[in-house]
Amino acid sequence: MARGGTTMAEQPRFPLREAVDFVIIGSGSAGGILARELSVAGFSVVVLEQGRYRRTHEFTHDELAIAINDEYLGGQRGGDPQTFRHDASETAGVPEIPPAYYARMVGGSSVHFSANFWRLRPSDFKERSLLGPVENADLADWPLDYEELEPYYTRVDWEIGVSGAPGPFDPPRSRPYPLPPMPVKSSGVLLERGARELGLHPQVAPVAILSQPFNNRAACVHCGFCMGFGCEMGAKSSTLVTMIPQAEATGRCEIRPQSTVHRIETDARGRASEVLYYDASDREQAQRAKAVIVAANGAETPRLMLMSGSERFPDGLANGSGLVGRNLMFNAHSSTYAWFDQPLNDYKSVQCSRIVHDFYEADPKRGFYGGGAIDARPFLSASPILYALTGLPPDTPRWGAGFKRDLAYGFTHSMMLAASTTSLAMDRNNITLDPKLTDRYGRPAMRVTYNDHPDDLAMATFLQDWAERIAEAAGANKTWRNPVGPETIGAHLLGTCRMGDDPQRSVVDRYHRSHEVPNLFICDGSSMVTSGRGQPTMTIMALAFRAAQHIGEFARRGEI
């Protein structure tokens, strides 16, 4: 069977007891890029991924399996429960939907994300210096700036595949988008109409989806099943279809799916020496490595660090600062819904085609920290099941003729204005190990403690007010809003192993190397110092390209 230009028989199978150059834990937005970059550079790489290796042709539009039964998530239903509490005074319980929301498969959440794709702006990297402290928050500057990361953002554009056009508030870029924008949707036309009526500046929404064939991949066919689903065309720019095949084609990268890591062992010098995991048959295995890169996401990465404690590292691996798992950021959100007289049929095509970035920057005149964006989209995706369950107005009957009437009308005549905003880093928001609950392997369950900062909720409400005004200015015949409240589910898992120059105030340095373990690197959403305004994936990918370059240089110089 062909895979990435080579056959499965040609893929390497590295011996467990012989050290490979790198073991990478996780194959998502960061792990897939790191695997491609390091294997192309000549290093031997083993990627351990807890989920399945799904091929592009396996993806379907089965709403019941994927949107309702969470086939791609594993988690609660797959024997790996999570617990949640709003603060340390509560006893954490097991919610119906896991609070740390991510896909478990080769390619990670880059396979099922909606592919809205923004760069951070120069201000995101130095908000502490620009704005000063924020009460009850741990706002900090990044150890790098936008100018240093910009070349790697450009690599993401051109190597992953991004469709878009520059907007009036975009940061400087060294190269244009490789692909033209997606066609504007009905929701985009209405967002433009309402926003311009109010003096705002709507712009093209960039997406990591191909508007035209690119790099031997097919273009989008506008099926509408982007958010939460895999792309059977390969048009969505996941690492599954962009980076992983190229890594395997080198003959130096082995992808080991269904490999659930439970510990990183260290040797007498305190260096990472092997990675312990359970294979697809639930047998414990150990892969030796010269260096280890953890790219498991902003929730699973700190969990693994905490599970890897030892006599030398009593509080968890690489946790001398005490910050492993701390400062969890989700991104706050709010939603406004609108019905229109004419059919929009917005369930077709990509999630968003237009966006408003007028409120991106923090403005002290608002009286609270934060910034964000408003985009226009259908309700979540092309799924009528989800729409029937949670997308109808609060005054719609839940059964009978009125329910049928509103469902038939609303699914084709509605759009949602989604506001994405900041999350302030706070010590009270964290990933820890549940003291009682374990998963099917006996690993401590992940315990998520999270309660949004009041400023982030205020910003989400501010954007919701503007979203409602935009909908009304666009001619909506009915609008309603979901109440803004603390987030209990986070698809953006950020900040829990933050980077920084000071070992007392960060977990990894500016090159993603652990301050305490010189051959241990952490590169995923956990490395981020601030949250941006709601779309972190492009930044995670840019950081991975940058990290891979420096890690490869360290290895060639014998510094690992």
Side-chain angles (χ1 to χ4, degrees), residues 327-357:
N327 294 314
L328 175 64
M329 299 176 286
F330 274 179
N331 286 126
H333 296 88
S334 59
S335 51
T336 303
Y337 304 90
W339 279 359
F340 291 84
D341 293 333
Q342 300 300 319
L344 309 185
N345 296 324
D346 215 54
Y347 56 87
K348 300 178 181 180
S349 194
V350 298
Q351 279 278 290
C352 309
S353 61
R354 293 294 184 271
I355 196 163
V356 170
H357 269 165

Short mmCIF file of all heavy atoms in Angstrom, two decimals, residues 327-357:
data_model
loop_
_atom_site.label_atom_id
_atom_site.label_comp_id
_atom_site.label_asym_id
_atom_site.label_seq_id
_atom_site.Cartn_x
_atom_site.Cartn_y
_atom_site.Cartn_z
N ASN A 327 -0.50 27.85 34.33
CA ASN A 327 -0.79 28.89 33.32
C ASN A 327 -1.52 28.36 32.09
O ASN A 327 -1.31 28.83 30.97
CB ASN A 327 0.50 29.61 32.89
CG ASN A 327 1.12 30.40 34.02
OD1 ASN A 327 0.42 31.13 34.74
ND2 ASN A 327 2.42 30.26 34.21
N LEU A 328 -2.41 27.40 32.29
CA LEU A 328 -3.20 26.86 31.19
C LEU A 328 -4.09 27.95 30.58
O LEU A 328 -4.75 28.70 31.29
CB LEU A 328 -4.07 25.71 31.70
CG LEU A 328 -5.07 25.09 30.74
CD1 LEU A 328 -4.36 24.41 29.57
CD2 LEU A 328 -5.96 24.08 31.49
N MET A 329 -4.09 28.02 29.26
CA MET A 329 -4.92 28.99 28.53
C MET A 329 -5.77 28.25 27.50
O MET A 329 -5.26 27.39 26.78
CB MET A 329 -4.04 30.04 27.84
CG MET A 329 -3.19 30.87 28.80
SD MET A 329 -2.05 32.03 27.96
CE MET A 329 -0.79 30.91 27.33
N PHE A 330 -7.06 28.59 27.42
CA PHE A 330 -7.99 27.95 26.50
C PHE A 330 -8.34 28.85 25.30
O PHE A 330 -8.72 28.33 24.26
CB PHE A 330 -9.31 27.65 27.21
CG PHE A 330 -9.36 26.35 27.96
CD1 PHE A 330 -10.50 26.00 28.66
CD2 PHE A 330 -8.29 25.47 27.97
CE1 PHE A 330 -10.58 24.81 29.35
CE2 PHE A 330 -8.35 24.27 28.67
CZ PHE A 330 -9.51 23.94 29.37
N ASN A 331 -8.34 30.15 25.44
CA ASN A 331 -8.97 31.15 24.58
C ASN A 331 -10.46 31.25 24.91
O ASN A 331 -11.17 30.25 24.92
CB ASN A 331 -8.81 30.89 23.08
CG ASN A 331 -7.41 31.18 22.57
OD1 ASN A 331 -6.78 30.34 21.96
ND2 ASN A 331 -6.90 32.37 22.83
N ALA A 332 -10.90 32.46 25.22
CA ALA A 332 -12.32 32.69 25.49
C ALA A 332 -13.07 32.88 24.18
O ALA A 332 -12.50 33.30 23.17
CB ALA A 332 -12.49 33.92 26.39
N HIS A 333 -14.36 32.57 24.20
CA HIS A 333 -15.18 32.67 22.99
C HIS A 333 -16.58 33.17 23.36
O HIS A 333 -17.01 33.06 24.51
CB HIS A 333 -15.32 31.30 22.30
CG HIS A 333 -14.03 30.74 21.79
ND1 HIS A 333 -13.19 29.97 22.58
CD2 HIS A 333 -13.43 30.84 20.59
CE1 HIS A 333 -12.13 29.63 21.88
NE2 HIS A 333 -12.25 30.13 20.67
N SER A 334 -17.26 33.70 22.37
CA SER A 334 -18.68 34.00 22.51
C SER A 334 -19.34 33.82 21.15
O SER A 334 -18.67 33.86 20.10
CB SER A 334 -18.91 35.42 23.04
OG SER A 334 -18.34 36.40 22.19
N SER A 335 -20.64 33.62 21.15
CA SER A 335 -21.34 33.33 19.90
C SER A 335 -22.65 34.09 19.82
O SER A 335 -23.36 34.26 20.82
CB SER A 335 -21.59 31.83 19.75
OG SER A 335 -22.21 31.30 20.90
N THR A 336 -22.96 34.55 18.62
CA THR A 336 -24.20 35.27 18.31
C THR A 336 -24.79 34.62 17.06
O THR A 336 -24.06 34.30 16.11
CB THR A 336 -23.90 36.76 18.04
OG1 THR A 336 -23.25 37.32 19.18
CG2 THR A 336 -25.18 37.52 17.74
N TYR A 337 -26.09 34.42 17.07
CA TYR A 337 -26.76 33.72 15.97
C TYR A 337 -27.74 34.66 15.28
O TYR A 337 -28.32 35.55 15.91
CB TYR A 337 -27.51 32.50 16.50
CG TYR A 337 -26.63 31.54 17.25
CD1 TYR A 337 -26.44 31.68 18.62
CD2 TYR A 337 -25.96 30.52 16.60
CE1 TYR A 337 -25.62 30.82 19.33
CE2 TYR A 337 -25.14 29.65 17.29
CZ TYR A 337 -24.97 29.80 18.66
OH TYR A 337 -24.15 28.94 19.35
N ALA A 338 -27.90 34.44 13.98
CA ALA A 338 -28.79 35.31 13.21
C ALA A 338 -29.50 34.52 12.13
O ALA A 338 -28.91 33.63 11.50
CB ALA A 338 -28.00 36.46 12.57
N TRP A 339 -30.79 34.85 11.94
CA TRP A 339 -31.58 34.31 10.83
C TRP A 339 -31.85 35.43 9.83
O TRP A 339 -32.02 36.60 10.21
CB TRP A 339 -32.91 33.75 11.33
CG TRP A 339 -32.82 32.37 11.92
CD1 TRP A 339 -31.72 31.59 12.03
CD2 TRP A 339 -33.91 31.62 12.46
NE1 TRP A 339 -32.03 30.40 12.60
CE2 TRP A 339 -33.38 30.38 12.87
CE3 TRP A 339 -35.27 31.87 12.63
CZ2 TRP A 339 -34.16 29.39 13.46
CZ3 TRP A 339 -36.05 30.88 13.20
CH2 TRP A 339 -35.51 29.66 13.61
N PHE A 340 -31.92 35.04 8.56
CA PHE A 340 -32.16 35.99 7.47
C PHE A 340 -33.33 35.51 6.61
O PHE A 340 -33.66 34.32 6.59
CB PHE A 340 -30.89 36.15 6.63
CG PHE A 340 -29.79 36.85 7.36
CD1 PHE A 340 -28.94 36.16 8.21
CD2 PHE A 340 -29.60 38.22 7.23
CE1 PHE A 340 -27.93 36.80 8.90
CE2 PHE A 340 -28.60 38.88 7.92
CZ PHE A 340 -27.75 38.17 8.76
N ASP A 341 -33.93 36.44 5.89
CA ASP A 341 -35.11 36.12 5.07
C ASP A 341 -34.77 35.20 3.90
O ASP A 341 -35.56 34.34 3.53
CB ASP A 341 -35.75 37.41 4.54
CG ASP A 341 -36.36 38.26 5.64
OD1 ASP A 341 -36.75 37.68 6.68
OD2 ASP A 341 -36.44 39.49 5.47
N GLN A 342 -33.60 35.42 3.32
CA GLN A 342 -33.22 34.63 2.14
C GLN A 342 -32.35 33.44 2.56
O GLN A 342 -31.61 33.51 3.54
CB GLN A 342 -32.43 35.51 1.15
CG GLN A 342 -33.21 36.69 0.63
CD GLN A 342 -34.47 36.27 -0.09
OE1 GLN A 342 -34.47 35.30 -0.86
NE2 GLN A 342 -35.57 36.98 0.13
N PRO A 343 -32.41 32.33 1.82
CA PRO A 343 -31.55 31.18 2.14
C PRO A 343 -30.07 31.55 2.02
O PRO A 343 -29.66 32.19 1.05
CB PRO A 343 -31.95 30.13 1.11
CG PRO A 343 -33.27 30.56 0.57
CD PRO A 343 -33.30 32.05 0.68
N LEU A 344 -29.29 31.13 2.99
CA LEU A 344 -27.84 31.34 2.95
C LEU A 344 -27.10 30.07 2.53
O LEU A 344 -26.04 30.14 1.94
CB LEU A 344 -27.32 31.78 4.33
CG LEU A 344 -28.02 32.95 5.01
CD1 LEU A 344 -27.28 33.31 6.29
CD2 LEU A 344 -28.12 34.14 4.09
N ASN A 345 -27.66 28.92 2.91
CA ASN A 345 -27.01 27.63 2.64
C ASN A 345 -25.55 27.65 3.07
O ASN A 345 -24.65 27.19 2.35
CB ASN A 345 -27.13 27.26 1.16
CG ASN A 345 -28.57 27.05 0.74
OD1 ASN A 345 -29.37 26.53 1.52
ND2 ASN A 345 -28.91 27.45 -0.47
N ASP A 346 -25.32 28.19 4.24
CA ASP A 346 -23.96 28.43 4.69
C ASP A 346 -23.26 27.17 5.19
O ASP A 346 -22.08 27.20 5.52
CB ASP A 346 -23.96 29.49 5.80
CG ASP A 346 -22.74 30.38 5.74
OD1 ASP A 346 -22.49 30.96 4.67
OD2 ASP A 346 -22.01 30.47 6.75
N TYR A 347 -23.98 26.08 5.24
CA TYR A 347 -23.37 24.82 5.65
C TYR A 347 -22.37 24.30 4.63
O TYR A 347 -21.58 23.39 4.90
CB TYR A 347 -24.45 23.75 5.90
CG TYR A 347 -25.36 23.50 4.73
CD1 TYR A 347 -25.02 22.57 3.75
CD2 TYR A 347 -26.57 24.18 4.59
CE1 TYR A 347 -25.84 22.34 2.66
CE2 TYR A 347 -27.40 23.95 3.51
CZ TYR A 347 -27.04 23.03 2.54
OH TYR A 347 -27.86 22.81 1.46
N LYS A 348 -22.36 24.87 3.44
CA LYS A 348 -21.43 24.45 2.41
C LYS A 348 -20.08 25.16 2.57
O LYS A 348 -20.00 26.25 3.10
CB LYS A 348 -22.00 24.75 1.02
CG LYS A 348 -23.32 24.06 0.71
CD LYS A 348 -23.84 24.46 -0.66
CE LYS A 348 -25.19 23.79 -0.96
NZ LYS A 348 -25.71 24.17 -2.29
N SER A 349 -19.03 24.52 2.13
CA SER A 349 -17.68 25.06 2.03
C SER A 349 -17.02 25.23 3.41
O SER A 349 -17.48 24.67 4.40
CB SER A 349 -17.69 26.39 1.25
OG SER A 349 -16.37 26.76 0.88
N VAL A 350 -15.94 26.00 3.45
CA VAL A 350 -15.12 26.15 4.66
C VAL A 350 -15.92 26.88 5.74
O VAL A 350 -16.96 27.49 5.46
CB VAL A 350 -13.83 26.91 4.35
CG1 VAL A 350 -12.99 26.14 3.34
CG2 VAL A 350 -14.10 28.32 3.84
N GLN A 351 -15.41 26.84 6.95
CA GLN A 351 -16.11 27.51 8.04
C GLN A 351 -16.24 29.01 7.79
O GLN A 351 -17.33 29.55 7.83
CB GLN A 351 -15.36 27.27 9.36
CG GLN A 351 -15.66 25.95 10.00
CD GLN A 351 -16.95 25.98 10.80
OE1 GLN A 351 -17.03 26.60 11.85
NE2 GLN A 351 -17.96 25.30 10.32
N CYS A 352 -15.14 29.68 7.56
CA CYS A 352 -15.15 31.16 7.52
C CYS A 352 -14.51 31.67 6.23
O CYS A 352 -13.46 31.18 5.82
CB CYS A 352 -14.35 31.74 8.69
SG CYS A 352 -14.81 31.07 10.29
N SER A 353 -15.13 32.68 5.64
CA SER A 353 -14.53 33.32 4.47
C SER A 353 -14.21 34.79 4.71
O SER A 353 -13.46 35.39 3.94
CB SER A 353 -15.43 33.17 3.24
OG SER A 353 -16.69 33.81 3.45
N ARG A 354 -14.78 35.39 5.75
CA ARG A 354 -14.49 36.79 6.10
C ARG A 354 -14.37 36.93 7.62
O ARG A 354 -14.98 36.18 8.38
CB ARG A 354 -15.57 37.73 5.57
CG ARG A 354 -15.63 37.84 4.06
CD ARG A 354 -14.37 38.48 3.49
NE ARG A 354 -14.44 38.67 2.04
CZ ARG A 354 -14.06 37.75 1.13
NH1 ARG A 354 -13.61 36.57 1.55
NH2 ARG A 354 -14.13 38.00 -0.15
N ILE A 355 -13.61 37.95 8.02
CA ILE A 355 -13.33 38.14 9.44
C ILE A 355 -13.15 39.63 9.72
O ILE A 355 -12.79 40.41 8.83
CB ILE A 355 -12.09 37.33 9.83
CG1 ILE A 355 -11.98 37.19 11.34
CG2 ILE A 355 -10.81 37.93 9.26
CD1 ILE A 355 -11.05 36.08 11.76
N VAL A 356 -13.40 40.04 10.96
CA VAL A 356 -13.21 41.42 11.40
C VAL A 356 -12.11 41.43 12.47
O VAL A 356 -12.25 40.78 13.51
CB VAL A 356 -14.51 42.01 11.97
CG1 VAL A 356 -14.24 43.36 12.65
CG2 VAL A 356 -15.55 42.17 10.87
N HIS A 357 -11.03 42.16 12.18
CA HIS A 357 -9.90 42.23 13.11
C HIS A 357 -9.73 43.63 13.71
O HIS A 357 -8.68 43.94 14.26
CB HIS A 357 -8.61 41.82 12.40
CG HIS A 357 -8.30 40.36 12.52
ND1 HIS A 357 -7.36 39.72 11.74
CD2 HIS A 357 -8.80 39.40 13.34
CE1 HIS A 357 -7.30 38.45 12.06
NE2 HIS A 357 -8.16 38.24 13.03
#
